[in-house]
Amino acid sequence: MQLYKALRSRATTIEDNTEMSPATIATPIACTDAPLAAVDTDLLMVPWFSGALPAEMAGLDEATGGEIARAAASGELTKGTFDVFLAPVVDRSWKARRVALVGAGKADDFGTGVARKVAIVAGLAARQRHVERLAFVLRSGLADPSGDVDVRGLAQAVAEGLTLAEFSAGVYKTLEDTPSALPLCTIVLPGLADTSPESMGGVEAAVARGRLLGECSNLARELANEPGNTLTPREFAARAQAIARSGGVTVEVLDERQIEALGMGLLLGVARGSSEPPRLMVFRHEPADAPATPVLGLVGKGITFDTGGISIKPADGMERMKDDMAGGAAVACAMRAIGMLGAPIRVIGVVPATENMPGGRAIKPGDILKSAEGKTVEVINTDAEGRLVLGDGLWYARKLGATHLVDVATLTGAVVVALGKITSGILGAPDSWVSHVRRVADRAGDRVWPLPLFDEYRDQLKSEIADMTNTGGRPAGSITAALFLKEFTGGLPWAHIDIAGTAWADEAKPYLPKGPSGVAVRTLAELPFTAESWNKS
Ligand code: BES
Ligand code: MN
Ligand code: ZN
């Protein structure tokens, strides 16, 4: 009952947003270029760089009655990156009640990547302390026009970070107090107007963009966090539809009959083992003034629960397989951002959604499936289901007119062995397109690293009876999975991001709590804004 209530209230929250304007969805993050003493806040967060106390810290130190200098002398401040040091403000002429320094590493290494993480740490620390108003100081020294510091990029990253800190995973907890919400946030750029050619208006726009991208990442995390019993393929489609529609994106949800009419034998094959019917979500961002090409096609794996099917997984850790739709969630939530930010090109999103279950009518090892594009597949292992549904999904994105493809999927355990829980694998062709997606991911704060896609590995997918098998054995598991997908890309520029290791954090980091990470949302959302350089790449 409790579960049911929680579900209903959640669903209505999203539904209710359908008609809302972007501004009413979340409280905006404010910006100011006021001097620190004039910032009226409960907690003034300042990134702290290791090494000597910079001159501008002097005022802060005085305001705390020398606490900062004392901590620096005792060694307390030389502790690690992301440590938080708190001191009350004693100077009555200051409006802030407390100051916090957050370890931000070496000043020379400070960029958008560190800024985003430090802002997450700041936001989480403020929530933990039930702070109502938080001000995050983008240090004035960084807004120096003589350097080539990208103030807008930093401000966007900080807004993303503060917003990412809002996410709470314990949605079904009834016995504990709900954790405090994110405080009202202000980003402070002291003296920006005097020291930088950058206008406050430009910074404010960057902050709004960061806020939105953070929110869309959190929506994807909410979806990935949802268990298999609440987020069935139908429920996933309904929520994703509400999320993307409220961002101005056209959404179509195809049911099992329409999927069958399209001939998607791979998606239907995986769905056979479940009593929940599959769904195919199609998202379209089609601005009236967009050119005919390029058209970006985003495809996301939407397995709402992966038992492995007849090739069933071991019980230990199987509960984690509720997030096997994280790639699909990333596509749906990136589409919302793309719509709201008004990307200048056409973008199509495709998310095949189904459970992978071992029901009485489930596909069996050795079964042959026929894909919508015509190729036949011998299913050696029913647990290699992601590539099956993505094969039909990639084909459909092409059929709808995509000229450039990116897919995101929790595809292989092998990528976790190769790159661990920090970095997603990226594979695809041609190299120029893969490198471009890599660069965008880097800037968006999603760590990705390439694995090779040499043709020689294709031998591992040879079948005696069909065009290919769906598994290539243990060696190079992530590569053979990607080579399987390549068969469905029709030679278009295509990049595949394997997020099996990065979609879910098993261990908390200061900047990433346990649970869903929202990986790839910002990368996918930023991509269509880089289209000008695509023919060059
Ligand atoms: N969803 C899994 C991949 C996965 C593993 C995601 C660990 C997150 C954490 C995928 O469907 C799968 O089962 N892949 C198999 C493929 C194998 C049977 C060829 C794998 O990686 O073991
Ligand atoms: Mn599987
Ligand atoms: Zn899977």
Side-chain angles (χ1 to χ4, degrees):
M1 189 57 207
Q2 203 63 45
L3 199 74
Y4 175 77
K5 259 201 247 157
L7 228 186
R8 286 307 321 149
S9 68
R10 236 121 238 281
T12 25
T13 318
I14 289 173
E15 226 92 73
D16 287 350
N17 281 345
T18 312
E19 302 302 322
M20 280 185 180
S21 75
T24 57
I25 289 171
T27 328
I29 294 175
C31 299
T32 175
D33 63 353
L36 296 191
V39 180
D40 190 6
T41 185
D42 299 319
L43 191 57
L44 192 66
M45 281 275 183
V46 187
W48 153 258
F49 301 108
S50 51
L53 276 178
E56 62 190 63
M57 279 284 181
L60 264 183
D61 183 45
E62 273 168 36
T64 60
E67 271 308 309
I68 292 176
R70 266 194 292 280
S74 73
E76 187 177 355
L77 270 184
T78 58
K79 278 210 229 131
T81 312
F82 307 129
D83 279 354
V84 177
F85 171 79
L86 231 78
V89 173
V90 293
D91 183 336
R92 288 283 151 231
S93 69
W94 277 54
K95 290 199 171 147
R97 288 183 32 230
R98 283 187 291 176
V99 171
L101 301 186
V102 197
K106 293 199 191 100
D108 286 348
D109 301 338
F110 193 75
T112 54
V114 182
R116 189 182 294 105
K117 288 194 173 111
V118 169
I120 296 171
V121 174
L124 291 173
R127 280 183 62 191
Q128 230 167 42
R129 293 172 173 85
H130 297 267
V131 164
E132 277 170 22
R133 296 169 309 162
L134 168 68
F136 186 96
V137 182
L138 248 184
R139 294 261 300 275
S140 55
L142 293 166
D144 185 348
S146 57
D148 50 1
V149 179
D150 170 15
V151 182
R152 283 195 207 192
L154 286 173
Q156 178 181 328
V158 168
E160 287 173 9
L162 291 173
T163 308
L164 289 167
E166 282 182 322
F167 179 74
S168 300
V171 272
Y172 291 109
K173 284 184 189 289
T174 62
L175 304 177
E176 291 169 23
D177 292 344
T178 47
S180 100
L182 189 75
L184 280 176
C185 290
T186 305
I187 297 176
V188 191
L189 301 110
L192 177 77
D194 323 324
T195 56
S196 165
E198 193 63 69
S199 72
M200 207 57 186
V203 171
E204 272 164 3
V207 167
R209 185 184 183 91
R211 178 85 171 127
L212 178 71
L213 290 170
E215 273 167 25
C216 291
S217 305
N218 287 345
L219 285 170
R221 295 164 89 182
E222 266 180 42
L223 288 172
N225 196 39
E226 210 56 55
N229 66 333
T230 64
L231 203 80
T232 59
R234 281 178 294 178
E235 182 67 16
F236 182 23
R239 294 206 203 176
Q241 179 171 50
I243 287 171
R245 266 203 188 144
S246 62
V249 170
T250 315
V251 187
E252 207 184 333
V253 177
L254 309 191
D255 65 17
E256 60 275 31
R257 273 196 300 271
Q258 294 166 297
I259 294 168
E260 198 177 341
L262 287 168
M264 294 192 167
L266 302 184
L267 173 55
L268 288 173
V270 175
R272 283 181 66 92
S274 170
S275 46
E276 287 290 339
R279 288 292 181 263
L280 184 77
M281 303 167 221
V282 182
F283 305 91
R284 287 188 180 85
H285 168 73
E286 288 169 328
D289 49 357
T293 59
V295 180
L296 178 61
L298 305 177
V299 182
K301 172 174 173 181
I303 301 296
T304 59
F305 195 87
D306 182 11
T307 65
I310 295 298
S311 315
I312 198 160
K313 289 180 181 294
D316 198 24
M318 201 206 272
E319 71 282 356
R320 262 286 322 281
M321 286 301 130
K322 69 175 186 178
D323 82 334
D324 213 16
M325 33 54 71
V331 167
C333 298
M335 287 303 304
R336 171 185 168 84
I338 287 167
M340 289 180 85
L341 294 171
I345 62 161
R346 290 171 57 204
V347 185
I348 292 164
V350 175
V351 178
T354 174
E355 294 184 328
N356 185 23
M357 297 284 284
R361 296 171 57 78
I363 49 167
K364 304 163 289 294
D367 284 2
I368 308 290
L369 300 176
K370 184 163 188 182
S371 66
E373 95 138 25
K375 287 177 178 151
T376 54
V377 178
E378 180 187 5
V379 176
I380 300 295
N381 189 321
T382 64
D383 198 8
E385 84 297 342
R387 62 199 76 182
L388 295 174
V389 305
L390 287 170
D392 279 341
L394 286 163
W395 168 81
Y396 198 50
R398 260 163 65 204
K399 187 175 142 76
L400 295 177
T403 61
H404 293 69
L405 296 167
V406 178
D407 79 78
V408 182
T410 45
L411 203 62
T412 63
V415 84
V416 193
V417 176
L419 299 172
K421 304 280 301 167
I422 309 290
T423 309
S424 308
I426 187 166
L427 306 96
D431 284 341
S432 54
W433 175 242
V434 176
S435 321
H436 179 74
V437 177
R438 248 186 101 184
R439 274 193 299 276
V440 174
D442 257 358
R443 266 180 270 139
D446 288 320
R447 290 220 184 275
V448 299
W449 203 260
L451 293 171
L453 203 62
F454 300 128
D455 287 337
E456 287 88 335
Y457 291 103
R458 175 65 174 76
D459 289 347
Q460 289 175 235
L461 295 176
K462 274 197 181 135
S463 164
E464 299 292 319
I465 183 172
D467 294 330
M468 59 190 131
T469 61
N470 75 329
T471 60
R474 276 181 64 81
S478 306
I479 296 172
T480 52
L483 278 170
F484 181 94
L485 297 180
K486 190 173 185 226
E487 296 287 328
F488 301 91
T489 60
L492 291 179
W494 153 74
H496 154 66
I497 305 179
D498 192 334
I499 57 168
T502 50
W504 192 272
D506 293 327
E507 272 163 39
K509 299 229 190 287
Y511 51 85
L512 183 63
K514 280 188 196 180
S517 65
V519 65
V521 172
R522 296 187 307 276
T523 300
L524 297 184
E526 295 277 21
L527 250 181
F529 291 90
T530 62
E532 258 169 31
S533 64
W534 288 3
N535 28 10
K536 281 173 252 150
S537 69

